[in-house]
Amino acid sequence: MKTHYILYILLLIIIPFCTDAQVKNKIAYNINRAPLRQNPYIELPLGAIKPQGWLREMLIKQKNGATGNLDKLYPLVMNKRNGWLGGDGDQWERGPYWIDGLLPLAYILNDKDLIAKTKPWIEWTLKSQRPDGLFGPTKDYPAEAGIQRDNSLDWWPKIVMLKVLKQYYSATGDKRVINLMTNYFKYQLKELPSKPLDHWTFWARYRGGDNLMVVYWLYNITGDKFLLDLASLLHKQTFDYTNAFLNTGMLSTMGSIHGVNLAEGMKEPAIYYQQHPEAQYLDAMVKGFADLRKYNGMANGMFGGDESLHGNNPTQGAELCTAVEMMFTLENTLAITGDLNYADQLEKIAFNALPSQINDDFVNRQYFQQANQVMLTRHTRNFDVNHDGTDVCYGLLTGYPCCTSNMHQGWPKFTQNLWYATPDKGLAALVYSPSEVKASVSNGTEVLFKEETNYPFEETIKFTLSMDKKSKTVSFPFHLRVPAWCKKASVKINGQFVKDGVGSEIIKIDREWKTGDVVELSLPMHIYKNTWYENSVSIQRGPIVYALKIGEDVKKVINTKDSIDYGSTYYEVRPTTPWNYGLIKTADTKLDDQYKVEFTGLKNNNPWNLTNAPVLIKTKARRIPSWQLYNDMAGPIPYSVTYQLETAKNEEDIILVPYGCTKLRISQFPVIEKR
């Protein structure tokens, strides 16, 4: 413990700042303070990591789309009447949800207009605190269509705003955040025994891990011992995911838990592990993810939860809120545990599920997506909850507005978690996308790494180092992740081979560096397949799942029925080409012969649409006549077995494209025998 504390103090001194705002305010990296366990990876301050290439284009689309303009697009909730601006409108989660994505976007892009848009929300929140420590809206109002005006005292929306304030402090160093949190957490410690997390609604009980996360974050800054007492109380009142994963059949039982609660809340054992580093908490996480895939998993990295757990039939829905919350859970769990499997899963969701569920303009989105999705119409489907049939239609408010408010955190927080500091005074690139990072290494030397790549479509990642002119050389370790799917990676420095590595390991390069050094990481991608529901298979190359390219007929629909609930317009999509194909059974050793990869290039840094798909895979398939539409969905998928399914006589050429480029798709295919 003494060594642990010395390490904390040392890192606090030698890693003082990253961005201009942080230089001014002298913010240290948030290192775990004793008795908390030191994490293997340390989050960098907001703004230290900047997106480049296609990833920057995604954030610019957010700026120009709904993230930057939700107050105009969704004025009923996000205008001046919002309770988090002091108004009599929506008092609950939707305003904080929006700012939870808008604020990191604003500071990552260093966009003055977006930063200004966040300011009224931050200022009102900081000034709202009562003498007893409570902050936020405190007054309920009568029901009004389209907004949530009750349960203003509920713990849950305040948890979301705590996440916002944590990010705001990381970017600015505004000490008012520390004062507000300290006083609020004293209020929680006093009030939670009589008004537990599920006193007003049940949401906070399932999502208490985020509250716990911010408590530990504040403890690392202030060292106030009462925060550890509060942490223990929050853990006790939060749903017991550890026991549920290790000792119950919850994840194998349909309807047992709400999908977003699970995606957001299941990080709690890992969060609590920092204070109580017992194996059961990490074991629970590993088993939880394994069982979630086994009983509910989809090829896109998501799981059937529409709203509650609903198995792994590829026509079950996965909510957009679930995708972005699961990404945030994986980002936190990766940093705490160092388990690289969480990075693989994070990339799978980010590069497949996330871009497919939001339109190119970053305005219209789906509430539920399906792994096999062949007709997007207003129609009741086999979901746990139907929102008047609009769940799979693209629109601003289709399905339910929580996703309209919450989708914005996906890409910004993904950007924020591409790079990490390390306890050995180095840097780690754990998740890959075009970016650059400015950070302190060694004894406080500031370095900048520029990451140039067309990953996840291509195999090579180039890192170029630069330093201040005053620093001629600096020694530090550079950590590079090898994804599980990569059989053999290799690293060159300045054109010379240095090291190789295999899947699921870290390549660590500890050397003396100088400005201009170039590190080239090669991650050879190969075709492989995974098996899913009814023995269906998905085709994957690198982190990307490839889905059938289906022609799309997009129709804009004017909603004259219930526009307050589901928007004034929405979009339906119908197929113009066949979709009922089975893939030819192929041995694993012959996949490269059966599936031919073609590169079309990254066009305008805008890869996530059918027109611009950077990679195509061509193969042969045969249609299965009995596999037809049912309830405006792909009907029950034929069970893939060794005997011959009834199929068309002739093989056809088909094209597979990245899942994230599609609105309509088959990503889990029946398998048929070759004639």
Side-chain angles (χ1 to χ4, degrees):
M1 189 63 69
K2 184 177 180 181
T3 302
H4 174 101
Y5 186 72
I6 292 172
L7 176 62
Y8 163 75
I9 294 297
L10 181 62
L11 285 168
L12 204 61
I13 295 170
I14 66 174
I15 309 180
F17 47 74
C18 274
T19 65
D20 291 341
Q22 288 135 8
V23 169
K24 180 179 179 181
N25 293 287
K26 298 186 183 302
I27 300 174
Y29 291 177
N30 197 268
I31 311 297
N32 273 0
R33 180 191 290 260
L36 300 186
R37 173 186 178 272
Q38 177 56 53
N39 293 333
Y41 300 109
I42 303 157
E43 182 181 14
L44 295 172
L46 183 61
I49 305 167
K50 301 293 186 184
Q52 302 294 326
W54 70 260
L55 182 57
R56 176 175 170 80
E57 182 64 21
M58 294 304 102
L59 269 65
I60 295 298
K61 284 180 178 293
Q62 285 197 232
K63 170 190 171 181
N64 296 330
T67 311
N69 296 283
L70 202 59
D71 50 340
K72 302 171 186 175
L73 295 169
Y74 193 23
L76 178 64
V77 169
M78 301 303 181
N79 67 2
K80 294 180 180 179
R81 287 187 62 202
N82 192 284
W84 289 91
L85 294 172
D88 67 346
D90 200 288
Q91 305 293 307
W92 213 51
E93 66 181 4
R94 294 180 197 171
Y97 264 161
W98 176 37
I99 308 304
D100 193 33
L102 175 62
L103 188 138
L105 176 71
Y107 283 99
I108 287 171
L109 293 179
N110 195 25
D111 187 286
K112 293 181 180 179
D113 292 337
L114 294 185
I115 291 172
K117 190 163 285 194
T118 69
K119 285 294 186 182
W121 299 79
I122 298 298
E123 290 300 320
W124 185 89
T125 298
L126 290 172
K127 294 173 183 176
S128 71
Q129 191 161 48
R130 303 186 322 196
D132 64 358
L134 180 64
F135 75 98
T138 56
K139 182 179 179 181
D140 291 343
Y141 296 90
E144 182 178 329
I147 58 178
Q148 297 167 305
R149 304 177 81 202
D150 59 349
N151 291 317
S152 62
L153 292 176
D154 189 15
W155 300 110
W156 162 237
K158 293 169 178 57
I159 293 175
V160 183
M161 190 53 78
L162 289 172
K163 292 163 59 185
V164 172
L165 293 174
K166 172 180 175 290
Q167 295 174 96
Y168 171 69
Y169 180 83
S170 179
T172 67
D174 190 333
K175 294 181 179 179
R176 293 179 297 168
V177 171
I178 305 304
N179 293 333
L180 179 142
M181 287 188 181
T182 299
N183 292 328
Y184 176 66
F185 288 146
K186 289 178 180 177
Y187 173 84
Q188 278 200 306
L189 187 60
K190 178 183 177 182
E191 295 294 324
L192 280 172
S194 60
K195 299 181 180 67
L197 290 176
D198 58 0
H199 179 75
W200 285 280
T201 72
F202 61 84
W203 301 102
R205 176 172 176 252
Y206 285 94
R207 303 174 180 185
D210 281 349
N211 200 149
L212 182 64
M213 171 189 70
V214 181
V215 168
Y216 287 149
W217 175 83
L218 183 64
Y219 173 75
N220 289 333
I221 295 172
T222 68
D224 289 337
K225 298 299 183 183
F226 83 89
L227 293 169
L228 298 181
D229 296 331
L230 175 59
S232 297
L233 180 59
L234 287 167
H235 172 70
K236 183 178 180 180
Q237 291 190 4
T238 299
F239 177 79
D240 191 350
Y241 289 97
T242 302
N243 179 67
F245 294 161
L246 290 177
N247 302 315
T248 79
M250 182 182 76
L251 295 181
S252 62
T253 304
M254 290 192 187
S256 59
I257 187 171
H258 183 268
V260 180
N261 280 345
L262 177 62
E264 182 167 352
M266 68 184 297
K267 68 170 80 70
E268 198 276 345
I271 300 291
Y272 189 63
Y273 174 77
Q274 296 173 101
Q275 185 177 358
H276 294 272
E278 301 166 18
Q280 61 172 329
Y281 299 115
L282 298 194
D283 292 345
M285 297 294 295
V286 171
K287 186 173 186 297
F289 274 100
D291 285 350
L292 189 59
R293 184 197 187 280
K294 178 179 180 180
Y295 297 109
N296 303 277
M298 308 286 186
N300 55 18
M302 295 301 297
F303 58 90
D306 52 27
E307 304 264 328
S308 298
L309 282 187
H310 204 166
N312 51 12
N313 188 318
T315 56
Q316 297 308 144
E319 189 176 331
L320 178 53
C321 281
T322 305
V324 296
E325 293 293 359
M326 182 60 86
M327 288 173 63
F328 189 57
T329 283
L330 290 163
E331 289 155 1
N332 279 270
T333 307
L334 170 63
I336 292 169
T337 67
D339 187 336
L340 301 184
N341 290 314
Y342 298 118
D344 293 325
Q345 186 71 6
L346 172 61
E347 287 191 349
K348 194 167 191 180
I349 295 173
F351 299 146
N352 295 282
L354 180 63
S356 74
Q357 208 159 356
I358 307 173
N359 263 10
D360 245 11
D361 58 9
F362 215 92
V363 173
N364 297 296
R365 87 294 176 272
Q366 286 181 297
Y367 188 63
F368 294 143
Q369 67 170 293
Q370 300 165 295
N372 284 358
Q373 182 169 282
V374 299
M375 182 86 80
L376 306 183
T377 54
R378 182 166 187 166
H379 194 288
T380 299
R381 287 174 166 80
N382 188 34
F383 298 151
D384 171 52
V385 175
N386 279 273
H387 300 86
D388 208 39
T390 67
D391 295 293
V392 298
C393 297
Y394 284 85
L396 182 68
L397 299 178
T398 50
Y400 197 72
C402 58
C403 292
T404 305
S405 309
N406 195 21
M407 65 180 179
H408 314 280
Q409 66 169 307
W411 287 125
K413 291 184 182 179
F414 178 77
T415 302
Q416 172 67 10
N417 287 276
L418 297 174
W419 294 81
Y420 295 88
T422 58
D424 57 8
K425 304 184 233 178
L427 269 178
L430 297 188
V431 181
Y432 299 120
S433 283
S435 62
E436 65 179 41
V437 62
K438 185 182 291 185
S440 293
V441 297
S442 186
N443 293 319
T445 301
E446 189 174 79
V447 299
L448 186 146
F449 263 118
K450 185 175 183 179
E451 179 180 353
E452 298 173 274
T453 184
N454 286 333
Y455 188 91
F457 309 104
E458 298 181 11
E459 302 171 336
T460 302
I461 305 171
K462 176 183 174 183
F463 303 91
T464 303
L465 177 68
S466 60
M467 294 182 287
D468 187 278
K469 292 181 180 179
K470 297 178 182 178
S471 303
K472 293 184 179 180
T473 62
V474 62
S475 296
F476 66 91
F478 185 28
H479 303 241
L480 295 166
R481 159 182 156 261
V482 181
W485 48 260
C486 184
K487 295 177 180 177
K488 186 176 181 180
S490 64
V491 174
K492 293 180 180 179
I493 298 180
N494 301 328
Q496 299 296 313
F497 171 80
V498 176
K499 280 187 178 182
D500 56 23
V502 298
S504 297
E505 78 170 13
I506 288 289
I507 298 177
K508 182 177 176 181
I509 306 167
D510 199 345
R511 71 190 296 271
E512 187 174 71
W513 302 86
K514 64 181 184 304
T515 292
D517 281 341
V518 175
V519 180
E520 292 178 88
L521 174 64
S522 177
L523 300 172
M525 297 179 181
H526 61 281
I527 301 292
Y528 61 100
K529 60 188 180 184
N530 288 307
T531 302
W532 304 94
Y533 179 80
E534 298 286 45
N535 273 353
S536 61
V537 300
S538 62
I539 301 300
Q540 195 162 333
R541 176 183 174 272
I544 290 182
V545 176
Y546 285 78
L548 178 67
K549 182 179 181 180
I550 300 174
E552 300 171 351
D553 176 30
V554 181
K555 177 184 177 183
K556 184 176 183 179
V557 178
I558 306 299
N559 185 9
T560 59
K561 180 181 178 182
D562 40 24
S563 60
I564 291 179
D565 290 327
Y566 304 116
S568 58
T569 62
Y570 57 87
Y571 292 85
E572 296 185 330
V573 187
R574 293 173 172 81
T576 62
T577 56
W579 55 265
N580 55 341
Y581 288 98
L583 296 179
I584 310 299
K585 184 179 179 182
T586 306
D588 290 349
T589 56
K590 301 291 185 181
L591 290 175
D592 289 335
D593 297 329
Q594 181 70 18
Y595 297 91
K596 299 298 184 182
V597 179
E598 294 186 10
F599 296 92
T600 61
L602 197 60
K603 304 178 185 69
N604 302 317
N605 278 325
N606 186 26
W608 303 113
N609 59 63
L610 209 56
T611 301
N612 290 353
V615 185
L616 309 177
I617 296 178
K618 294 183 176 180
T619 190
K620 300 281 188 180
R622 292 202 305 274
R623 294 192 214 177
I624 302 173
S626 61
W627 193 22
Q628 295 293 325
L629 284 174
Y630 169 77
N631 222 19
D632 276 12
M633 302 184 298
I637 187 170
Y639 181 58
S640 298
V641 291
T642 54
Y643 65 79
Q644 181 73 48
L645 284 170
E646 182 182 353
T647 65
K649 293 182 179 180
N650 298 324
E651 292 184 354
E652 299 180 40
D653 294 320
I654 63 168
I655 295 175
L656 308 181
V657 296
Y659 183 106
C661 299
T662 65
K663 291 184 177 67
L664 303 180
R665 59 184 162 263
I666 297 294
S667 66
Q668 296 177 211
F669 292 85
V671 179
I672 59 178
E673 295 283 353
K674 186 174 181 64
R675 288 191 186 277

